[in-house]
Amino acid sequence: MARTQTGPRRRADGSSKYGEWFAGLVGDPAFRDGDFCAMGLLWCAWRTGQLPVLGGARREWAWVPSWWRHWQDIGRWTAGAARGRIVFFDFDRSGAPEHVGAVLQDDRNGTIVTIEFNTMNGWCAVRGRRLSDVIGFGDPAWADARVPVAAGGDSCWQG
């Protein structure tokens, strides 16, 4: 699902469909134009019926350190990269993550391939990243069956 979202995602007014969805879900319009790296991943999980696997859509998940703490609290965090894991980045080496994405591939050479929302000035993009920028990974218990992507209204060039 996340791959169907690649491209520019932030609107001219600063909002995104992920922020609007999240704002409506948690009942707070402030999220409408907020940073949407976590909200984009949660939206994809919602669209595929997998939102509970990521801990639901709690308002505090929009603040990446809270979502990281959730994975630690439930004992589903790891230092190892693998496809489908949620990657938490600590670019400034503060000990708290500032950004989140999902792992597409572990290159096994100190780099990973990710898909990230709210990267490159408001895009959803596939990125190559260094493992040295990662604080850890959330390890979702994904359902075994693949969920088909819902058609219509979700192309990367629409709202």
Side-chain angles (χ1 to χ4, degrees), residues 42-142:
L42 292 165
W43 181 90
C44 289
W46 168 73
R47 290 284 293 163
T48 59
Q50 300 263 352
L51 188 57
V53 175
L54 297 185
R58 298 177 55 180
R59 68 184 300 118
E60 57 267 26
W61 291 179
W63 189 56
V64 175
S66 290
W67 203 21
W68 169 236
R69 193 170 322 114
H70 162 74
W71 293 101
Q72 294 173 308
D73 290 348
I74 66 170
R76 295 206 54 94
W77 74 276
T78 181
R83 182 176 177 81
R85 290 188 173 154
I86 307 302
V87 56
F88 291 85
F89 296 101
D90 183 13
F91 297 116
D92 67 7
R93 310 294 192 265
S94 67
E98 303 91 39
H99 185 59
V100 65
V103 177
L104 296 176
Q105 170 183 313
D106 180 356
D107 289 335
R108 306 219 182 279
N109 64 0
T111 64
I112 56 176
V113 177
T114 62
I115 189 154
E116 302 168 29
F117 288 83
N118 198 34
T119 190
M120 299 171 14
N121 236 1
W123 281 57
C124 173
V126 173
R127 308 278 314 257
R129 296 290 195 171
R130 296 182 317 235
L131 282 172
S132 60
D133 289 327
V134 174
I135 196 168
F137 302 87
D139 188 18
W142 297 111

